[in-house]
């Protein structure tokens, strides 16, 4: 059996350190907004090269709080990609704003900067590129558009912790960056968790107030906020794992490189343009033989998955508002994409078995 991810192997490798950090956090009985949270925020900001980092309860909340801190509200439009997890769009809708979808680049699966300007209206307030599957979006081009049209740039980095482009870490490029620490993400905790990186102290302060009931001083509330904090136990675990993030991502890139060597003639393998460092949250290929390949893999007890089968403009929840919207690349990719098992500790032998099975399904 080959799973999509294997969290157990990593835990066992780090068990003594993680258990010690966890029990120390329990022993301290400081469970909310204690020393692990503030240290983790400093360490993560340092790693990413971001001026400020404020943790919160999930990646979805990170996006929500970032959208609010960007001053986005009812009547505003936010340009984003249709080829992402629903949370990117949910956050825009929570703020009362409207997601506007722009088609993707067929090679990177990220929002296509060449199509963005045509979607800008007087109501447009921000662009949220998603570094999908760990592949950085074309940030130089998107940044130039944001400057030209005075738009906020918010990065969805839920799948890209440690990825970089032109020497800059994702999450340090936009005004705000949103991270998820869901267990299977590149940097994952053992529950839900998230973080917002901020370019300015004012926005970091705003996210801090929003995550903690609209309060700067205890029992003094000047805005309506939320209860969205990373807890000390998760922060303690994340501090141990942050020290290994480069090794984790190197492990993922090793798996991806071998897959691409073995599968290059059989399916369309992930594109690397040399500018960005892809951290392979997913290893996703394109093929017209998806059903046959997935059936064969499943027969051999090898996991595979379709991320994502339906682009957001085709989801029931947006179908009515997006009835006239046609985004042919996203629609075509959604019909032909499939993701293969990838995790830092994946044995070379497993990668070879997956590739061999795919070859068997195509060549016979
Ligand atoms: C996982 C994910 C999120 C949401 O993160 P949660 O921590 O699960 O709330 C948002 N955007 C993208 C692209 C994701 O992959």
């Amino acid at each position: 059996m080959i799973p999509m991810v294997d969290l157990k192997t990593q835990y066992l490798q780090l068990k003594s350190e993680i258990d010690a950090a966890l029990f120390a956090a329990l022993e301290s009985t400081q469970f909310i907004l204690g020393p692990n949270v503030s240290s983790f925020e400093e360490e993560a900001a340092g790693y990413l090269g971001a001026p400020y980092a404020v943790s919160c309860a999930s990646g979805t909340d990170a996006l929500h709080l970032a959208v609010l801190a960007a001053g986005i509200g009812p009547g505003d439009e936010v340009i984003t990609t249709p080829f992402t997890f629903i949370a990117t769009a949910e956050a825009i809708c929570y703020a009362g704003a409207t997601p506007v979808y722009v088609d993707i680049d067929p090679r990177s699966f990220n929002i296509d900067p060449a199509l963005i300007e045509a979607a800008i209206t007087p109501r447009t307030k921000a662009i949220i590129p998603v570094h999908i599957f760990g592949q950085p979006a074309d940030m130089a081009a998107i940044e130039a558009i944001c400057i030209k049209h005075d738009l906020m740039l918010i990065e969805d980095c839920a799948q890209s912790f440690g990825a970089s482009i032109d020497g800059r870490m994702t999450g340090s490029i936009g005004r705000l960056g949103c991270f998820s620490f869901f267990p299977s993400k590149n940097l994952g905790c053992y529950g839900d968790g998230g973080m917002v990186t901020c370019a300015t102290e004012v926005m970091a302060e705003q996210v801090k107030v929003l995550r903690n009931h609209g309060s700067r001083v205890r029992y003094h509330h000047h805005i309506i906020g939320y209860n969205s904090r990373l807890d000390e136990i998760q922060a303690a675990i994340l501090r141990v794992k942050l020290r290994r993030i480069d090794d984790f991502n190197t492990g993922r890139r090793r798996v991806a490189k071998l897959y691409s060597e073995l599968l290059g003639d059989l399916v369309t393998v992930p594109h690397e343009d040399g500018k960005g460092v892809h951290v392979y949250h997913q290893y996703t290929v394109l093929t017209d033989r998806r059903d046959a390949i997935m059936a064969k893999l499943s027969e051999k007890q090898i996991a595979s998955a379709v991320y994502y089968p339906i682009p957001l403009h085709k989801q029931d929840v947006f179908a009515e508002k997006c009835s006239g919207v046609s985004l042919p690349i996203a629609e075509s990719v959604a019909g032909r994409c499939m993701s293969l098992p990838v995790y830092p500790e994946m044995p070379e032998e497993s990668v070879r078995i997956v590739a061999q099975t795919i070859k068997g399904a195509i060549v016979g």
Side-chain angles (χ1 to χ4, degrees):
M1 218 212 57
I2 302 178
M4 286 301 279
V5 293
D6 175 2
L7 299 177
K8 184 76 172 271
T9 299
Q10 187 175 87
Y11 170 59
L12 293 178
Q13 280 174 5
L14 302 175
K15 186 172 173 17
S16 59
E17 238 179 295
I18 286 184
D19 289 2
L22 202 118
F23 285 113
L26 293 180
E27 195 74 40
S28 80
T29 66
Q30 249 189 299
F31 294 118
I32 301 293
L33 296 183
N36 279 302
V37 165
S38 45
S39 296
F40 172 68
E41 290 173 344
E42 269 173 39
E43 290 156 10
Y47 175 83
L48 295 168
Y52 303 91
V54 183
S55 59
C56 62
S58 71
T60 306
D61 280 5
L63 284 157
H64 182 199
L65 301 184
V67 164
L68 293 176
I72 292 160
D76 294 338
E77 291 175 0
V78 177
I79 290 174
T80 191
T81 166
F83 193 64
T84 179
F85 181 55
I86 185 78
T88 316
E90 281 177 322
I92 298 166
C93 298
Y94 294 160
T98 304
V100 174
Y101 302 111
V102 165
D103 212 353
I104 59 172
D105 177 295
R107 290 179 308 173
S108 70
F109 308 145
N110 281 316
I111 192 167
D112 185 346
L115 305 176
I116 290 177
E117 281 192 297
I120 295 175
T121 76
R123 290 173 181 270
T124 308
K125 280 285 155 57
I127 303 176
I128 308 186
V130 180
H131 307 296
I132 202 75
F133 305 144
Q135 167 95 289
D138 183 353
M139 294 308 287
I142 298 169
E143 210 176 14
I145 294 167
C146 287
I147 291 168
K148 181 173 165 196
H149 296 272
D150 192 23
L151 303 175
M152 270 288 203
L153 178 51
I154 304 172
E155 298 173 72
D156 183 338
C157 308
Q159 302 185 1
S160 72
F161 201 106
S164 61
I165 184 158
D166 296 324
R168 294 189 292 173
M169 285 281 183
T170 61
S172 73
I173 304 168
R175 305 288 290 160
L176 294 143
C178 308
F179 291 86
S180 164
F181 304 127
F182 186 81
S184 61
K185 299 291 162 90
N186 291 47
L187 179 64
C189 59
Y190 293 164
D192 278 306
M195 184 176 78
V196 183
T197 47
C198 307
T200 67
E201 190 177 3
V202 170
M203 289 190 295
E205 208 31 56
Q206 183 74 357
V207 176
K208 275 189 181 176
V209 166
L210 284 166
R211 79 169 170 188
N212 196 26
H213 298 289
S215 163
R216 199 169 282 132
V217 178
R218 193 175 278 193
Y219 305 125
H220 294 250
H221 308 272
H222 59 287
I223 56 171
I224 291 294
Y226 301 87
N227 178 346
S228 180
R229 296 162 308 217
L230 183 71
D231 66 68
E232 280 285 298
I233 290 174
Q234 300 305 338
I237 293 164
L238 286 166
R239 291 183 70 196
V240 173
K241 293 180 87 178
L242 178 62
R243 297 199 277 272
R244 308 300 200 304
I245 186 64
D246 286 342
D247 293 340
F248 296 159
N249 284 335
T250 300
R252 288 174 180 274
R253 288 179 56 76
R254 168 191 59 88
V255 171
K257 185 161 179 279
L258 181 55
Y259 266 141
S260 290
E261 282 167 21
L262 299 172
L263 296 173
D265 297 333
L266 301 167
V267 296
T268 306
V269 299
H271 177 71
E272 291 209 38
D273 63 7
K275 286 192 296 179
V277 176
H278 190 327
V279 293
Y280 293 98
H281 173 61
Q282 298 295 344
Y283 183 89
T284 302
V285 302
L286 294 180
T287 170
D288 293 326
R289 308 283 304 280
R290 184 166 75 187
D291 289 349
I293 294 171
M294 290 183 81
K296 192 64 152 188
L297 289 171
S298 156
E299 197 181 288
K300 295 272 165 72
Q301 300 209 314
I302 298 169
S304 62
V306 177
Y307 306 120
Y308 296 90
I310 306 173
L312 297 190
H313 67 293
K314 293 287 187 190
Q315 293 286 349
D316 284 349
V317 61
F318 295 121
E320 204 174 313
K321 271 197 169 163
C322 297
S323 63
V325 177
S326 161
L327 303 168
I329 307 289
E331 289 160 28
S332 156
V333 167
R336 295 185 298 134
C337 62
M338 63 176 294
S339 301
L340 303 177
V342 59
Y343 51 93
E345 305 79 11
M346 188 169 174
E348 180 179 327
E349 186 55 23
S350 298
V351 180
R352 292 187 183 279
I353 291 169
V354 175
Q356 197 55 42
T357 307
I358 291 173
K359 190 170 184 184
I362 293 176
V363 183

